[in-house]
């Protein structure tokens, strides 16, 4: 008996109660099991689920993909994490570049592990053989069909499904955009109906006012007849005043005079009190002003329905050249496929363009400039011309004024608002000749001189003529020191034209220089550009500018076989 171990003492009632309190009212084994599950859930250490969407991985849609940091995310979630060719890991927040194929590699080990776990669970939960006789053939066929696909085929199917999902998302986004656009149009229809009702009310008010004025006209005509009748009676009475022969006849005539003058005074008093009717005149004036304003607005829309003017609003392509002229529709926001429907609506209906925005080059202005929708307007003696404003090397450039039509939705400013009020400033000339595309020459004009001011006017065309279309006509000292080209004769292109826009071109202090690149004036409004340094003290007088970029273009033009073929294709001012 002594070799047998003494039996273990049973826990007392108090110890059972203590364990029950520690385990939250559950048995000890249940408490431990629940604590392990809560710990696994808290850590997120579940290899079967995506840590982002908490959905189980599969072999087709939500395949596990491994990031360079080692964490695994399903395909759908990792596609949502992509942004500008990079993806951020949701676990460690490390940013990774997307591989060239567009997808991170599939983690086949995780797939195999998950498949093995699922097969084990399916085998453990499978019914006894007697219960699965009716379902065995179908289940085996489905499993055989699933396991018969290769990894490449499953990957291909997954990619196709991702394509379908992307197309579905695009359709949903398009529906959302169309819903917004439809709501916008519905609002416009309601406001247009309200406007029509207001206009109809204005028409009715105008008709009522016209009737009131017509009634007033009838009253004036009637009172006019009364005054005319009184005048005729007074004229007849005047004659009778000269005919009385006796005192009795004289008293009779005087009585008639009292009566007629009293009646005439009453008629005149009524005229003074009744006319004009201030209420009718005020109403008529207000209605006429409102009707005239509405009529002018309607006429403006009828005259130019395709232009949205905001003047109270393809840099690479030249719309003035016939060979590259584009339809105005192509210059609108419709040509940008990256914009959504509502972005295009906002693009077309942008608010008024301000000069301050142009000078600060806000993102809105950059978008308008890149779309070729910014123009400057200049009107002299009823002639309206437009100058496009492009964005070249990050700076807006005002081109020469021309009589070309504005594209749809063009934003306009006044030329006087954008052209520099005084020198110094930079202008440009685009030179071209046979077999050579237009190339730009930038000229800095300084100091403020009459020739420099005229050069700006001829680069913008504010006074009518411009250098655009003119040709160079001669070369001085070709191939020798002091070489220079001459131009500026926009009238005859031979150096004999009278090209003076401003008086007193030479009445100013000009500097002299013999360096290559200086721009100098002579004989009226003609100019020359030195392409080679002068020697032996040779200088050019009346220098008012200098080429700061593109001097090699002018030098090549000087070496061209026929200088008269060198044409100024375009010109303008750098803003």
């Amino acid at each position: 008996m002594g070799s047998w171990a003494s039996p273990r003492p049973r826990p007392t009632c108090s110890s059972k109660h203590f364990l029950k309190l520690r385990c939250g009212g559950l048995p000890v084994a249940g408490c431990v099991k629940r604590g392990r599950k809560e710990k696994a859930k808290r850590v997120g250490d579940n290899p079967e689920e995506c840590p982002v969407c908490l959905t189980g991985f599969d072999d087709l849609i939500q395949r596990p993909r491994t990031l360079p940091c080692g964490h695994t995310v399903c395909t759908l979630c990792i596609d949502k994490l992509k942004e500008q060719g990079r993806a951020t890991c949701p676990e460690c927040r490390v940013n990774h570049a997307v591989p060239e194929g567009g997808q991170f590699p599939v983690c086949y080990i995780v797939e195999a592990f998950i498949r093995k776990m699922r097969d084990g669970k399916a085998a453990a939960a499978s019914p006894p053989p007697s219960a699965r006789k009716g379902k065995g053939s179908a289940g085996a066929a489905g499993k055989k069909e699933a396991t018969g696909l290769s990894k490449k085929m499953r990957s291909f199917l997954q990619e196709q499904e991702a394509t379908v999902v992307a197309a579905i998302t695009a359709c949903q986004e398009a529906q959302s955009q169309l819903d917004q656009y439809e709501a916008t149009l519905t609002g416009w229809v309601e406001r247009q109906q309200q406007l029509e009702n207001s206009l109809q009310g204005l028409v009715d008010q105008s008709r009522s006012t016209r009737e009131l004025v017509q009634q007033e006209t009838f009253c004036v005509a009637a009172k006019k007849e009364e005054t005319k009748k009184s005048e005729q009676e007074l004229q007849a009475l005047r004659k009778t005043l000269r005919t009385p022969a006796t005192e009795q006849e004289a008293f009779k005539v005087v009585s008639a005079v009292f009566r007629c003058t009293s009646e005439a005074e009453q008629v005149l008093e009524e005229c003074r009190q009744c006319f004009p009717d201030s209420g009718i005149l005020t109403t008529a004036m207000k209605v006429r002003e409102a009707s005239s304003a509405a009529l002018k607005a309607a006429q403006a829309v009828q005259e130019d329905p395709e232009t949205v003017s905001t003047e109270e609003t393809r840099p690479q392509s030249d719309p003035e050249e016939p060979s590259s002229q584009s339809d105005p529709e192509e210059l609108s926001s419709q040509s940008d496929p990256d914009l959504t429907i509502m972005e295009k609506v906002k693009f077309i209906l942008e608010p008024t363009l301000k000069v301050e925005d142009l000078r600060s080059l806000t993102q809105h202005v950059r978008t308008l400039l890149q779309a070729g929708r910014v123009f400057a307007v200049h009107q002299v003696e009823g002639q309206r011309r437009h100058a496009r404003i492009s964005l070249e090397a990050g700076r807006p450039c005002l081109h020469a004024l021309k009589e070309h039509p504005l594209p749809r939705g063009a934003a306009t400013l006044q030329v006087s608002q954008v052209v520099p009020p005084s020198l110094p400033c930079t202008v440009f000339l685009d030179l071209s000749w046979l077999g050579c595309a237009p190339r730009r020459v930038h000229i800095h004009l300084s100091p403020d001189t009459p020739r420099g001011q005229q050069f700006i006017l001829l680069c913008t065309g504010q006074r009518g003529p411009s250098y655009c279309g003119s040709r160079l006509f001669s070369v001085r000292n070709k191939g020798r020191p002091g070489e220079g080209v001459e131009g500026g004769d926009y009238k005859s292109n031979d150096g004999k034209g009278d090209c003076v826009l401003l008086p007193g071109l030479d009445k100013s202090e000009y500097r002299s220089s013999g360096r290559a690149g200086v721009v100098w004036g002579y004989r009226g409004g003609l100019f020359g550009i030195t392409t080679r340094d002068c020697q032996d003290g040779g200088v050019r007088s009346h220098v008012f500018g200098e080429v700061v970029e593109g001097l090699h273009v002018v030098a090549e033009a000087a070496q061209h076989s026929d200088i008269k073929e060198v044409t100024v294709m375009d010109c303008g001012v750098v803003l």
Side-chain angles (χ1 to χ4, degrees):
M1 294 295 291
S3 61
W4 292 90
S6 62
R8 178 185 298 177
R10 295 184 177 181
T12 63
C13 181
S14 59
S15 63
K16 286 183 178 181
H17 182 66
F18 174 75
L19 291 174
K20 189 174 182 179
L21 291 176
R22 289 292 303 270
C23 299
L26 297 176
V28 178
C31 179
V32 174
K33 186 176 180 180
R34 186 185 66 174
R36 290 177 179 175
K37 287 185 176 180
E38 290 180 353
K39 182 178 180 181
K41 184 176 181 181
R42 180 174 63 253
V43 177
D45 188 16
N46 192 346
E48 297 184 50
E49 295 181 354
C50 171
V52 178
C53 62
L54 300 180
T55 305
F57 294 115
D58 57 29
D59 298 336
L60 295 176
I61 302 177
Q62 293 179 287
R63 304 186 71 182
R65 296 187 179 272
T66 303
L67 298 173
C69 59
H71 294 103
T72 305
V73 185
C74 74
T75 303
L76 295 182
C77 291
I78 207 169
D79 287 340
K80 295 178 181 178
L81 294 173
K82 293 178 184 178
E83 184 177 354
Q84 296 181 353
R86 304 189 68 85
T88 302
C89 176
E91 296 284 343
C92 62
R93 310 307 298 172
V94 176
N95 193 270
H96 306 289
V98 178
E100 295 183 358
Q103 288 287 359
F104 290 93
V106 175
C107 185
Y108 296 105
I109 297 178
V110 174
E111 279 192 343
F113 176 71
I114 294 172
R115 195 180 304 113
K116 185 175 181 180
M117 291 182 62
R118 290 176 179 172
D119 293 343
K121 290 180 180 180
S126 61
S130 59
R132 38 172 213 247
K133 286 182 179 180
K135 301 180 180 179
S137 58
K143 184 176 181 181
K144 182 178 179 181
E145 182 180 357
T147 57
L149 295 177
S150 64
K151 293 181 179 179
K152 291 185 177 179
M153 180 56 68
R154 288 197 297 269
S155 177
F156 177 73
L157 292 177
Q158 185 273 335
E159 292 175 357
Q160 295 304 313
E161 185 163 355
T163 303
V164 173
V165 170
I168 292 174
T169 303
C171 291
Q172 293 174 349
E173 291 179 356
Q175 292 177 19
S176 176
Q177 288 288 319
L178 291 174
D179 289 341
Q180 296 181 41
Y181 188 43
E182 184 181 20
T184 301
L185 294 178
T186 302
W188 285 358
V189 170
E190 294 176 356
R191 289 193 293 272
Q192 195 67 27
Q193 184 62 49
Q194 295 175 358
L195 179 60
E196 290 180 9
N197 296 337
S198 300
L199 292 175
Q200 185 61 44
L202 182 61
V203 172
D204 296 340
Q205 189 176 7
S206 177
R207 185 181 295 110
S208 300
T209 304
R210 177 174 55 81
E211 292 175 356
L212 288 176
V213 172
Q214 196 168 6
Q215 292 177 5
E216 184 76 354
T217 303
F218 293 154
C219 293
V220 170
K223 192 60 64 177
K224 182 179 178 182
E225 287 294 329
E226 292 183 15
T227 56
K228 186 176 182 180
K229 183 179 179 181
S230 298
E231 181 190 2
Q232 291 175 352
E233 291 180 357
L234 290 173
Q235 290 286 358
L237 186 60
R238 179 184 178 186
K239 294 180 180 178
T240 59
L241 287 173
R242 302 174 184 175
T243 58
T246 62
E247 291 184 359
Q248 184 178 2
E249 292 179 354
F251 283 120
K252 186 176 181 180
V253 172
V254 170
S255 299
V257 169
F258 289 155
R259 179 181 57 80
C260 289
T261 54
S262 178
E263 293 177 355
E265 289 178 358
Q266 183 177 358
V267 171
L268 295 176
E269 183 65 22
E270 290 177 356
C271 290
R272 285 190 292 267
Q273 292 181 358
C274 297
F275 307 109
D277 191 318
S278 59
I280 293 179
L281 290 182
T282 303
T283 302
M285 179 183 65
K286 292 182 178 179
V287 172
R288 185 174 68 250
E289 291 177 354
S291 302
S292 300
L295 183 60
K296 288 181 180 179
Q299 290 176 345
V301 173
Q302 293 176 357
E303 292 175 357
D304 199 359
E306 295 186 352
T307 301
V308 181
S309 178
T310 61
E311 56 190 78
E312 314 199 283
T313 147
R314 283 170 218 284
Q316 292 79 7
S317 61
D318 191 348
E320 292 86 11
E321 295 182 10
S323 59
S324 61
Q325 186 170 358
S326 303
D327 186 76
E329 294 287 343
E330 297 178 358
L331 296 177
S332 67
S333 62
Q334 302 294 333
S335 61
D336 192 347
D338 296 332
L339 297 178
T340 64
I341 295 175
M342 295 308 297
E343 286 174 343
K344 291 180 180 179
V345 172
K346 183 179 179 181
F347 190 86
I348 295 173
L349 302 176
E350 285 289 351
T352 303
L353 179 64
K354 299 180 181 179
V355 180
E356 293 77 12
D357 297 335
L358 180 64
R359 292 172 181 170
S360 59
L361 278 182
T362 62
Q363 184 59 41
H364 164 52
V365 173
R366 286 181 178 273
T367 303
L368 293 175
L369 291 172
Q370 292 170 356
R373 290 184 55 204
V374 184
F375 287 79
V377 181
H378 188 64
Q379 186 167 348
V380 177
E381 297 179 355
Q383 184 182 13
R384 183 184 178 93
R385 297 187 299 163
H386 311 96
R388 67 187 182 99
I389 301 178
S390 63
L391 189 63
E392 306 288 346
R395 296 190 63 182
C397 296
L398 174 71
H399 296 253
L401 288 161
K402 294 184 180 180
E403 297 180 5
H404 53 72
L406 290 178
R408 181 185 297 275
T412 59
L413 296 165
Q414 293 291 336
V415 170
S416 58
Q417 293 178 307
V418 296
V419 173
S422 61
L423 278 70
C425 69
T426 301
V427 298
F428 65 88
L429 303 175
D430 289 348
L431 301 182
S432 176
W433 55 90
L434 186 62
C436 177
R439 289 185 289 176
R440 183 153 297 182
V441 179
H442 287 90
I443 301 174
H444 184 69
L445 304 178
S446 180
D448 193 357
T449 59
R451 288 189 178 273
Q453 294 173 3
Q454 176 169 286
F455 205 86
I456 292 181
L457 294 176
L458 288 170
C459 284
T460 59
Q462 291 174 263
R463 295 289 183 91
S466 71
Y467 288 139
C468 189
S470 65
R471 297 192 298 270
L472 304 183
F473 53 83
S474 66
V475 181
R476 289 191 180 186
N477 303 324
K478 186 174 183 178
R480 303 192 306 272
E483 177 188 76
V485 299
E486 297 177 345
D489 188 357
Y490 55 83
K491 291 186 176 180
S492 58
N493 289 313
D494 57 3
K496 299 179 180 179
D498 182 14
C499 304
V500 178
L501 296 181
L502 299 178
L505 292 179
D506 295 331
K507 294 181 179 180
S508 180
E509 294 183 1
Y510 294 92
R511 64 188 180 93
S512 300
S513 176
R515 291 194 311 160
V518 296
V519 182
W520 38 276
Y522 73 102
R523 198 172 68 247
L526 305 181
F527 70 87
I529 302 177
T530 303
T531 55
R532 296 190 182 187
D533 293 338
C534 298
Q535 293 183 357
D536 301 331
V539 295
R540 302 294 184 189
S541 59
H542 296 87
V543 173
F544 60 89
E546 184 174 0
V547 176
V548 293
E549 186 177 348
L551 182 59
H552 65 285
V553 178
V554 186
E556 290 181 23
Q559 300 303 317
H560 186 61
S561 58
D562 187 358
I563 190 62
K564 294 184 179 180
E565 292 182 355
V566 180
T567 305
V568 180
M569 303 301 297
D570 198 2
C571 54
V573 181
V574 179
L575 304 180

